[in-house]
Amino acid sequence: MLTKLGVLLTSSCQLRCDYCYVHHKEDRLSALAFRKGLRHFLVHLDQLGVPRPSAKISFLGGEPLLNWAALKPILRQVALLDSHPSMHITTNGLLLTPSKYAILKKYKVQIGLSLDGLPRAHDTHRKRGRRASFGQVMARLSGIPDRESLSVQMVVSPDNVGELAKGYRFVRSLGVGEVDF
């Protein structure tokens, strides 16, 4: 049964991860286009008798926070529903400022951070041009007050599979609530 709506806010991203499946282009979903998709999704849920709170809307990218101008009104729109699906966003963390974090938490958006464990494992695949991104993500993460509400998604690759346990322990030491592979 279809209970998830994946929303591609943009295919654009500041990183060029070598394992990423998203084709980077400068596209942005508008709040209006989302409204149309949401309406169809809600009709579908209602027709199937699926309680809206048991459904989920996932905001994806590229890097979804690059389309913050559309995401903010989308969050308000979903929150105004009498009964609404839960919301989740997956981000590389480079744009996760304390103010954006506060707004996401206000709307009860579950936040998933893509972080591949140890610095070397992360920077092997996640580059900003030719520069590593791990230090920048850690700088953003240091500004997040209650990291236990974050989940981390670690991509397993031949480069980090031998150090998964060490990477897992490192990520848990950051105070995040959940780590997934």
Side-chain angles (χ1 to χ4, degrees):
M1 183 177 310
L2 181 64
T3 60
K4 286 185 182 178
L5 176 63
V7 179
L8 182 67
L9 288 171
T10 179
S11 296
S12 187
C13 186
Q14 322 91 308
L15 299 180
R16 294 298 178 261
C17 305
D18 57 19
Y19 49 62
C20 185
Y21 56 88
V22 176
H23 301 289
H24 303 283
K25 34 183 195 178
E26 292 297 321
D27 60 346
R28 309 272 168 145
L29 179 75
S30 70
L32 178 62
F34 172 78
R35 189 175 309 128
K36 291 177 185 177
L38 177 63
R39 190 175 16 217
H40 289 292
F41 181 61
L42 296 174
V43 166
H44 168 78
L45 294 175
D46 294 343
Q47 287 175 344
L48 291 174
V50 175
R52 289 180 182 181
S54 68
K56 185 175 196 173
I57 299 173
S58 293
F59 301 107
L60 310 164
E63 171 50 47
L65 293 179
L66 282 170
N67 198 0
W68 186 248
L71 182 57
K72 278 179 32 181
I74 286 170
L75 297 175
R76 281 193 297 274
Q77 181 182 352
V78 173
L80 288 173
L81 297 170
D82 290 334
S83 175
H84 62 80
S86 65
M87 294 181 280
H88 179 271
I89 190 167
T90 301
T91 176
N92 62 32
L94 293 173
L95 297 175
L96 189 59
T97 62
S99 61
K100 286 178 183 166
Y101 177 81
I103 291 169
L104 292 169
K105 294 315 297 174
K106 172 184 171 185
Y107 291 109
K108 298 179 174 75
V109 178
Q110 301 163 336
I111 303 168
L113 176 67
S114 295
L115 182 69
D116 291 348
L118 300 169
R120 186 183 58 76
H122 182 86
D123 287 338
T124 296
H125 300 283
R126 296 174 182 265
K127 304 270 191 214
R128 285 189 89 169
R130 295 177 187 254
R131 296 187 341 247
S133 63
F134 182 85
Q136 296 165 9
V137 174
M138 290 296 101
R140 288 293 187 191
L141 196 55
S142 70
I144 303 302
D146 58 338
R147 291 190 288 263
E148 66 276 353
S149 65
L150 294 175
S151 65
V152 169
Q153 286 88 42
M154 291 175 57
V155 173
V156 178
S157 72
D159 300 307
N160 71 357
V161 72
E163 295 185 316
L164 279 182
K166 193 173 180 182
Y168 173 84
R169 285 191 295 274
F170 169 76
V171 170
R172 292 294 296 174
S173 76
L174 299 173
V176 300
E178 186 176 315
V179 180
D180 298 315
F181 298 98

